Amino acid sequence: MASGSIAASCRGQEGLLPNPSDPSQRGPYQVGRVLGYIDVADGWFKHTRNLTVEVWYPAMPGSEKGRPTFGYDIREHLPLRQRTKLHDAADITYQTCDCFNDLPIANGTFPVLAYIHGTAAFRTESLQQQTHWASRGFVVVAADHPGIQLFDLLGIVDGRLPPRTNQQSDVRGILNALQTNIPKELAILSGHLDWQRVAVVGHSAGGFAANDLGDVADVLIPMAGFAPKSGKRVKSVLVLAARNDTIVPYPKEIQAYAQVSLVPRRFASVDALGHLFCSDLCWIGASAGGIVQIALDHGISAAKLFSSLGANGCAYLNKKSGTQYLEPQCGWAFVNYASSGVLEETLRCDSGMAAKLSAMKNELQPPQGCPKGIVFDYREHIGETLFVDAARCVYAIIQAFLQNRLGKDPASKLCGGMEVLTTHGIWHYSGLIARRFKQVLVTLMVLATGAFSK
């Protein structure tokens, strides 16, 4: 194992490549991508609708050699009439991807992450994060969501009413299809999806949708999308926000987080960035004034309707407006660090990520061109549930000892499947509330064993 790398310790992940211990660094995998189509319930009677779904995944090491990287032209997300007006804009509407088309998937089963885009956006909205997560051992799934995607909202200009929007139902349908009846275009994923470990991440409207998916996901990460309040399956919550967001106001983000009762839960905000801090939308076409200005310059007057949403907190505004927004790479590093830390803590059983997250204000190394101290605020609430769960675990083991079944029941079963605490039995515990607690736990067990043996 390379220095500074951490191997996955969840059961069934023993063969996965170790990740760098710094969660903002790209992982050991090259990233493959594949496009498919999935029918999901429309919500009206028995109607269905067909979703365009893209998947980024950990690829077989070395399979990328001699192959070009992939990329996207965001003009594909425009109705034909508007797209025609941008016929000469290919060089400024291109979205590069650190990924490759149709590479063979790496060996192993990988946690599944569903990404939900925001209003007037598209499936590759947060491509820097999507490929980052895939490089660190996650299968990332994203769709163009009908009714709220850019294509449908711009279609209103042509007199076409957008279809019904139901991002939550879309995600449920996508996850169900991948688990029970995987489409032929996505067959490469068969046997490589770990359905015991699922996350949902969303931006803006996508974050609002993610908040209500705690029954199908172990980790929820709304970005500029307030905060989840409940979820029978969810094990960890991360709320990400930008201090200068004027679309989803920052004070309301803090209020929403304060109402969350789920634990562990964390809140992190980035300084000097706006609503688009976690996306590529301040980066695509920045040299030409951004995607809204490009559209306006080519006669797409409807772009004015999205001028605030499509440029909120973008650094290319600084010269014109005198603002001091950071470059988009600063936001990417912030999101990659915080999100990967939370994802890997729960879905790859890396208890060491807890300390990384607690210290992210100091430990996050900003990329070139970004100042130190880009993390404006960090809060966490993790202790309550861990102490309670650990106490229950000790009690369960003592009870098993008294009933002469300690050797028959593994610690993970006795402790209710608390895998972060008991990945390979209680002796492996290196907890989220510091390694010292292991010593306390072991001491309690030894004392109990000694007392009951007399």
Side-chain angles (χ1 to χ4, degrees):
M1 184 187 308
S3 176
S5 296
I6 304 296
S9 57
C10 292
R11 288 190 301 274
Q13 295 183 354
E14 293 81 6
L16 303 192
L17 297 179
N19 276 326
S21 57
D22 179 350
S24 69
Q25 291 184 12
R26 195 171 174 87
Y29 293 101
Q30 291 292 340
V31 176
R33 55 79 60 182
V34 63
L35 192 69
Y37 304 91
I38 293 178
D39 289 326
V40 301
D42 182 270
W44 293 100
F45 302 103
K46 295 184 179 180
H47 295 169
T48 62
R49 56 182 175 185
N50 188 256
L51 300 182
T52 300
V53 177
E54 187 146 0
V55 182
W56 298 269
Y57 55 86
M60 188 72 70
S63 61
E64 80 286 357
K65 292 181 179 178
R67 304 184 65 168
T69 54
F70 197 74
Y72 304 87
D73 189 334
I74 65 167
R75 292 179 298 179
E76 73 170 91
H77 299 291
L78 304 180
L80 181 59
R81 202 171 100 183
Q82 283 96 333
R83 192 186 317 166
T84 302
K85 295 180 179 180
L86 289 164
H87 65 90
D88 62 345
D91 57 334
I92 52 176
T93 60
Y94 191 73
Q95 184 182 23
T96 59
C97 181
D98 195 354
C99 65
F100 300 83
N101 193 42
D102 291 330
L103 293 183
I105 193 167
N107 295 326
T109 56
F110 302 94
V112 178
L113 188 159
Y115 178 84
I116 314 175
H117 68 69
T119 303
F122 37 86
R123 65 184 186 275
T124 63
E125 170 195 47
S126 294
L127 191 60
Q128 302 295 326
Q129 281 68 55
Q130 291 161 327
T131 56
H132 180 82
W133 296 322
S135 78
R136 293 182 70 94
F138 293 84
V139 172
V140 182
V141 184
D144 293 323
H145 290 278
I148 200 170
Q149 63 175 318
L150 181 61
F151 182 92
D152 288 334
L153 294 183
L154 284 178
I156 297 174
V157 179
D158 297 334
R160 187 178 65 250
L161 292 178
R164 182 172 180 265
T165 298
N166 194 334
Q167 291 175 292
Q168 292 175 25
S169 179
D170 291 347
V171 172
R172 294 179 192 278
I174 291 168
L175 294 178
N176 181 66
L178 291 176
Q179 188 170 6
T180 61
N181 187 26
I182 195 164
K184 62 180 181 179
E185 302 97 340
L186 304 177
I188 188 176
L189 306 174
S190 295
H192 294 278
L193 304 178
D194 183 351
W195 292 108
Q196 300 303 310
R197 301 176 180 90
V198 177
V200 176
V201 182
H203 174 229
S204 194
F208 300 141
N211 289 337
D212 291 322
L213 289 168
D215 59 321
V216 297
D218 304 287
V219 178
L220 294 179
I221 305 180
M223 304 186 294
F226 291 162
K229 293 182 180 179
S230 63
K232 63 183 181 181
R233 176 172 172 173
V234 65
K235 300 179 179 67
S236 183
V237 169
L238 171 65
V239 175
L240 293 178
R243 183 189 182 192
N244 298 103
D245 189 343
T246 58
I247 303 297
V248 179
Y250 184 66
K252 291 187 176 180
E253 291 272 32
I254 296 176
Q255 292 173 12
Y257 176 75
Q259 296 174 11
V260 180
S261 59
L262 296 166
V263 286
R265 64 184 182 273
R266 296 176 171 92
F267 174 91
S269 60
V270 65
D271 199 10
L273 284 169
H275 190 65
L276 305 178
F277 71 98
C278 54
S279 79
D280 283 20
L281 300 184
C282 285
W283 174 60
I284 302 169
S287 62
I291 54 179
V292 172
Q293 189 61 50
I294 291 171
L296 293 173
D297 290 344
H298 286 78
I300 304 176
S301 56
K304 290 181 181 178
L305 300 174
F306 307 104
S307 58
S308 177
L309 183 64
N312 193 266
C314 293
Y316 57 71
L317 297 174
N318 292 345
K319 290 183 179 180
K320 182 186 297 185
S321 62
T323 53
Q324 295 182 343
Y325 296 125
L326 299 178
E327 293 296 329
Q329 291 85 347
C330 307
W332 301 342
F334 164 79
V335 175
N336 288 344
Y337 188 107
S339 62
S340 295
V342 168
L343 291 168
E344 291 168 33
E345 174 189 66
T346 299
L347 304 183
R348 291 196 62 169
C349 302
D350 182 357
S351 58
M353 284 298 173
K356 290 286 185 181
L357 290 162
S358 297
M360 74 174 292
K361 270 194 165 186
N362 296 319
E363 289 216 5
L364 173 57
Q365 299 299 315
Q368 186 175 2
C370 301
K372 292 184 178 180
I374 62 174
V375 180
F376 179 70
D377 190 16
Y378 177 80
R379 310 177 187 190
E380 61 182 24
H381 297 80
I382 62 173
E384 306 102 290
T385 189
L386 292 173
F387 275 111
V388 171
D389 285 348
R392 288 175 179 168
C393 185
V394 172
Y395 177 76
I397 291 175
I398 293 174
Q399 287 292 100
F401 176 83
L402 288 173
Q403 298 171 20
N404 196 31
R405 58 183 176 84
L406 186 58
K408 301 176 183 178
D409 292 342
S412 58
K413 180 179 178 181
L414 294 170
C415 297
M418 295 181 291
E419 195 165 30
V420 173
L421 299 180
T422 59
T423 303
H424 299 302
I426 198 63
W427 306 106
H428 185 70
Y429 176 71
S430 56
L432 302 178
I433 51 177
R435 289 181 174 82
R436 289 183 210 159
F437 193 68
K438 177 182 178 182
Q439 299 171 344
V440 175
L441 184 58
V442 171
T443 300
L444 287 173
M445 293 175 61
V446 170
L447 289 175
T449 302
F452 291 126
S453 65
K454 291 180 180 179

